[in-house]
Amino acid sequence: MKNFILLLLTSLSVVVFPAQAKGKLSWGGFVSASYIDVNANNYYGYNSGDSGPLFEAGLRGFWYINPNWSVSGLVIAQESGDWFESGLDVDYLSLNYKVPTNEDWEVGFKLGRFKISNGIYGETRDVPFTRPSIVLPLSVYPHILKEQSLRADGIRLDLDYFTLNGQQYKFAASIGKEAFDESFSRRFFGQDQGGTFESEWNSSLHFSARPNANWYLGLEYRRLKMHLKDSIDLAPSASPVSLPFDFTIDTDQYIASLQYAQQRYEITGEFTMRRGGTYAEGKNDAAKPLAPIFDGSIDMNAYYLQGIFIVNQQWNLLARYDNSHFIDDDIETNLRDLEDFTLGATWNFHRNFQLKLEHHWFVGTSMLPPVRDLNPTRSNNPERYWRLFAMQLSYRF
């Protein structure tokens, strides 16, 4: 069924929308197939193994109603191992209003499901042609916490200012609720965990500047708070005693981005700080004394440095160092740190096709699921030194 959905999206691109329609409606999209090969640890899935295929397809549309109003949306189909839900999902779908202004300013609102500004690649991380690598740096773009920073249901304000000298300044503010499914609970507490996290009305602020064609600077703040209600039970399945808990994650996140690009190369660095903690509330007299075992700090400093060398119009090469570090000394070494040394290459052998190859050398496992397995008998990611190879073929229309 999942492969059928991907095939259906591909067929739509070829048969129904042979080219971008002109006028008030426009369409486009992509299809990609990847294979992830990991030599150790549980990167891909809890039943499907540590390695496997990854399929992605997207179909986007834009409806121009009049100079002030429009509708935009993107539907994505994904199959990427059983740590994540597979199938169709609405990536964004919003009613957009553009406030009439002069030529220097653009002011607009999005109402509905919108993308969250999250670093340089956050808004387009699901589109293969817009990201620099198959696996993004896990320090700033941790895939196990993807839903936290991808999109939200609510309202977003965008304010852009352009100068006659080509300078661009952008400010965005949003408030909304992120959508979670049970795969997030499994990634956090292990494969046996059920229940769905519910988001609060979280806020986001973003500022970016392009003082000239070479430089980009971005600053961001996000407030993230979410709850899992009545779904944690520490008692064994056959036990007559119930130990239910509510669980809460409460985080403030800051991201600073800097990028410099020339004709032949591009250098990017991003730094993030996460400050906050986790806590639980026991729901009966037997559970209340055990609630403090869920108290914990999730303070983290993380960054990456990335260089891309543009060989010619078809080839570019990538090198990256990525580092994540939890500040709390009580966290065991493997879960406290993650380093990633990456080398990769991209071959744009046709204007509609792209091939990516990359190899990662990892030290540590802090960004692998599950974050904290509630089953103490299971050893999920025992290897401290491990590697990952990925290959991806993508087509866009």
Side-chain angles (χ1 to χ4, degrees):
M1 182 63 184
K2 298 163 188 169
N3 290 331
F4 170 76
I5 292 172
L6 295 175
L7 181 61
L8 180 62
L9 282 175
T10 308
S11 302
L12 280 173
S13 71
V14 176
V15 178
V16 182
F17 309 115
Q20 278 202 343
K22 295 182 178 179
K24 294 187 175 181
L25 289 172
S26 62
W27 300 87
F30 64 89
V31 178
S32 78
S34 313
Y35 191 81
I36 306 286
D37 179 66
V38 182
N39 75 324
N41 294 322
N42 197 356
Y43 180 87
Y44 187 73
Y46 52 87
N47 286 324
S48 49
D50 50 15
S51 305
L54 189 157
F55 300 105
E56 300 168 282
L59 188 63
R60 62 172 175 79
F62 180 81
W63 178 25
Y64 175 87
I65 302 173
N66 61 43
N68 301 118
W69 292 94
S70 63
V71 175
S72 56
L74 172 64
V75 176
I76 285 185
Q78 293 181 318
E79 184 173 350
S80 55
D82 46 17
W83 282 122
F84 297 87
E85 296 294 322
S86 295
L88 281 175
D89 203 357
V90 177
D91 192 39
Y92 63 86
L93 180 62
S94 60
L95 176 65
N96 312 316
Y97 176 68
K98 183 179 178 183
V99 179
T101 55
N102 60 42
E103 60 185 10
D104 298 330
W105 290 89
E106 285 188 3
V107 181
F109 293 89
K110 290 184 173 68
L111 179 65
R113 176 165 292 184
F114 55 85
K115 300 294 288 188
I116 296 171
S117 296
N118 181 57
I120 293 176
Y121 306 113
E123 289 191 61
T124 58
R125 61 183 294 174
D126 280 332
V127 181
F129 286 87
T130 63
R131 59 191 182 217
S133 54
I134 304 166
V135 178
L136 285 173
L138 300 176
S139 56
V140 179
Y141 309 96
H143 71 295
I144 58 174
L145 307 175
K146 187 176 175 181
E147 293 97 324
Q148 282 185 321
S149 313
L150 194 63
R151 54 197 173 222
D153 299 326
I155 186 168
R156 168 173 168 155
L157 161 70
D158 287 283
L159 193 155
D160 296 270
Y161 176 66
F162 307 91
T163 71
L164 294 176
N165 298 326
Q167 299 169 327
Q168 300 178 21
Y169 300 93
K170 181 181 182 63
F171 172 77
S174 66
I175 182 167
K177 291 188 174 185
E178 297 81 17
F180 299 99
D181 52 45
E182 288 193 8
S183 65
F184 188 87
S185 303
R186 291 198 299 268
R187 275 176 271 152
F188 211 92
F189 285 122
Q191 63 195 61
D192 306 322
Q193 180 63 42
T196 304
F197 275 87
E198 294 183 3
S199 168
E200 285 202 353
W201 285 96
N202 292 317
S203 56
S204 177
L205 298 173
H206 167 88
F207 170 77
S208 62
R210 286 192 181 277
N212 53 53
N214 302 119
W215 287 96
Y216 171 87
L217 167 68
L219 297 171
E220 219 160 82
Y221 166 74
R222 290 217 64 217
R223 168 71 170 163
L224 298 162
K225 192 171 183 180
M226 63 209 75
H227 312 278
L228 183 64
K229 293 186 177 296
D230 298 326
S231 293
I232 297 176
D233 194 334
L234 294 181
S237 55
S239 172
V241 179
S242 179
L243 297 171
F245 296 87
D246 287 347
F247 179 77
T248 299
I249 304 174
D250 191 357
T251 310
D252 293 289
Q253 176 175 294
Y254 308 84
I255 301 176
S257 310
L258 187 64
Q259 188 174 70
Y260 179 75
Q262 283 281 7
Q263 186 175 4
R264 300 300 299 270
Y265 64 89
E266 177 185 284
I267 299 173
T268 304
E270 295 196 277
F271 173 77
T272 184
M273 292 191 305
R274 300 185 192 111
R275 297 290 182 267
T278 62
Y279 54 90
E281 178 185 354
K283 305 302 291 184
N284 61 27
D285 290 340
K288 286 178 181 177
L290 300 176
I293 67 174
F294 291 97
D295 293 348
S297 167
I298 51 176
D299 292 354
M300 167 181 272
N301 294 333
Y303 68 93
Y304 74 88
L305 294 172
Q306 172 184 278
I308 295 177
F309 179 66
I310 302 167
V311 180
N312 53 42
Q313 290 185 339
Q314 291 187 322
W315 283 93
N316 67 63
L317 307 175
L318 175 142
R320 185 169 63 217
Y321 173 70
D322 189 23
N323 186 301
S324 303
H325 177 73
F326 281 100
I327 296 172
D328 192 344
D329 289 335
D330 294 336
I331 301 173
E332 67 174 272
T333 303
N334 250 18
L335 297 177
R336 191 181 180 199
D337 300 301
L338 181 73
E339 290 182 278
D340 176 12
F341 304 85
T342 305
L343 292 177
T346 299
W347 181 26
N348 296 294
F349 59 94
H350 184 276
R351 64 178 181 176
N352 298 113
F353 286 93
Q354 181 184 80
L355 179 67
K356 276 190 169 71
L357 302 168
E358 63 195 52
H359 200 289
H360 300 250
W361 291 266
F362 289 100
V363 181
T365 61
S366 72
M367 291 298 162
L368 295 187
V371 174
R372 182 181 183 180
D373 199 329
L374 294 180
N375 185 341
T377 65
R378 200 156 38 219
S379 177
N380 287 286
N381 299 303
E383 297 298 327
R384 179 161 176 77
Y385 299 92
W386 55 289
R387 61 163 183 78
L388 180 153
F389 172 77
M391 177 173 62
Q392 181 181 69
L393 177 64
S394 303
Y395 167 70
R396 62 184 168 190
F397 50 89

